[in-house]
Amino acid sequence: MIQIHQLIKTFGEKTAVNIPELTIADGVILGIVGNNGAGKSTLFRLMLDLLKADSGHVLLHDIDPSLQESWKESTGAYLDEGFLIDFLTPEEYFEFIASANSLSKELLYSRLEGFSQFMNGEIMNQKKLIRDFSAGNKQKIGIIGAMLNMPSLLILDEPFNFLDPSSQHTLKKILADYHSSTGATILISSHNLQHTIDLSTHIVLLEHGSVIKDLSNAGRQAEPELEAYFSN
């Protein structure tokens, strides 16, 4: 369970996040949606202790990420290119992640095999550094890296960015299958409303850093309300 209590983050006079209370249950796929500047990325950075809150806190299974490190063992995240070590090859990067998570090389490459369709022959054995890949393939490398330790909490910021339609479709299936097989909690922010509705079991709508809608999406029931909001 993720619990957010009186969480506030400002940048100068701008309030980026202001969430008095929000509880995210275990095992949901939570889509976080909102227009530019709604606070989606800032919220994720607060959750991952990449930003310090002005006040309030986030608890990941009763652990405050700003006070302890143990939450990292069960959490995978990819927010942007800053998560990559771009002077490595993909193989070196994946092996670094495996080593940090005490995964054997055999287990690593077994898990990578499950992403073969997503990689589409464009990631492994290319003999080039991550920084020399296209934006779409960097995105794939980051997402795969976030999932290698099979986290019980997976956080992805705009995961469909830069991906072609076939890769977007494959990623949706990967995430749905991963959720089905592991029961992991998956948090996704996205400007792509259709993908979010397709995937999510629950959806939170942010506006100016505040939660204005907290919706169940069983049977896509959140779709009419979200479409009405974004069409205004």
Side-chain angles (χ1 to χ4, degrees):
M1 179 183 296
I2 300 171
Q3 296 169 291
I4 296 172
H5 176 69
Q6 300 297 331
L7 189 65
I8 296 176
K9 179 63 182 178
T10 60
F11 297 100
E13 297 183 356
K14 175 180 170 57
T15 298
V17 169
N18 182 4
I19 301 177
E21 298 288 341
L22 179 66
T23 298
I24 301 169
D26 287 341
V28 301
I29 302 179
L30 178 69
I32 300 179
V33 298
N35 290 316
N36 287 336
K40 304 184 296 297
S41 296
T42 301
L43 176 58
F44 281 170
R45 290 184 178 277
L46 290 166
M47 287 182 175
L48 295 168
D49 194 36
L50 299 172
L51 287 174
K52 298 297 183 184
D54 297 329
S55 61
H57 60 261
V58 176
L59 296 179
L60 307 180
H61 294 101
D62 295 324
I63 298 170
D64 185 335
S66 68
L67 301 177
Q68 297 185 43
E69 298 276 316
S70 58
W71 59 277
K72 294 181 180 179
E73 298 173 3
S74 58
T75 302
Y78 182 70
L79 304 191
D80 57 36
E81 284 187 33
F83 277 54
L84 300 172
I85 306 174
D86 68 359
F87 57 82
L88 301 179
T89 66
E91 291 89 344
E92 290 170 335
Y93 178 64
F94 295 145
E95 288 175 11
F96 171 79
I97 292 172
S99 176
N101 288 278
S102 300
L103 303 179
S104 68
K105 188 171 285 191
E106 291 75 19
L107 181 56
L108 165 65
Y109 282 91
S110 173
R111 290 183 179 177
L112 285 172
E113 189 64 29
F115 294 97
S116 58
Q117 182 179 356
F118 189 47
M119 291 190 283
N120 194 33
E122 299 175 340
I123 305 297
M124 306 296 283
N125 303 310
Q126 299 302 300
K127 298 183 179 180
K128 62 182 182 179
L129 305 179
I130 291 172
R131 64 185 176 218
D132 297 322
F133 281 82
S134 68
N137 282 331
K138 288 178 184 175
Q139 188 83 344
K140 292 180 181 182
I141 292 165
I143 292 167
I144 293 166
M147 298 182 70
L148 283 178
N149 68 331
M150 298 191 68
S152 59
L153 172 61
L154 177 64
I155 299 177
L156 300 174
D157 192 12
E158 298 290 349
F160 300 102
N161 275 4
F162 312 119
L163 300 183
D164 59 45
S166 294
S167 297
Q168 291 181 31
H169 176 79
T170 300
L171 178 58
K172 281 200 295 185
K173 186 176 187 308
I174 287 170
L175 293 175
D177 288 349
Y178 184 71
H179 178 257
S180 176
S181 64
T182 68
T185 303
I186 302 176
L187 309 186
I188 297 170
S189 77
S190 181
H191 284 117
N192 190 309
L193 190 59
Q194 196 60 55
H195 287 336
T196 306
I197 291 169
D198 289 345
L199 266 176
S200 303
T201 62
H202 208 88
I203 295 177
V204 162
L205 173 60
L206 293 182
E207 184 178 282
H208 304 304
S210 297
V211 176
I212 62 169
K213 301 283 184 183
D214 187 358
L215 306 169
S216 170
N217 193 41
R220 302 174 64 92
Q221 68 187 63
E223 185 171 15
E225 196 163 351
L226 291 171
E227 289 189 343
Y229 173 83
F230 286 108
S231 65
N232 289 335

